Amino acid sequence: ARPPQGSLDLSGIPSLSVTLFNHESTLLLPPTRARDIDADEFARRVAAVRPCGGTRLCAGLEAGIATLAGARG
């Protein structure tokens, strides 16, 4: 059965990390095992995200890559 629209379904996803970026980058969720994520808290944090600043895609990708590299040890 599919989860209701808008709910968080992490089935089949071993881990998740979310990096926000505009003119700077912010780590919203560090690399976390999916089973350890509080879905309600995560949904609240995502819902609180607002667009601002200018998009620096390269800086966002670099921040995401650095986060993954740090998670691997």
Side-chain angles (χ1 to χ4, degrees):
R2 296 185 122 190
Q5 186 172 351
S7 68
L8 181 64
D9 178 15
L10 297 176
S11 59
I13 299 173
S15 62
L16 181 67
S17 178
V18 177
T19 301
L20 306 176
F21 64 94
N22 50 30
H23 59 283
E24 61 187 21
S25 62
T26 303
L27 188 60
L28 180 72
L29 178 71
T32 306
R33 291 182 301 198
R35 67 176 179 252
D36 295 337
I37 295 172
D38 178 329
D40 292 334
E41 174 61 23
F42 179 69
R44 279 191 291 276
R45 293 178 73 187
V46 169
V49 173
R50 299 290 178 255
C52 66
T55 302
R56 292 182 53 215
L57 183 58
C58 186
L61 289 173
E62 288 173 352
I65 290 167
T67 298
L68 290 175
R72 292 184 182 174

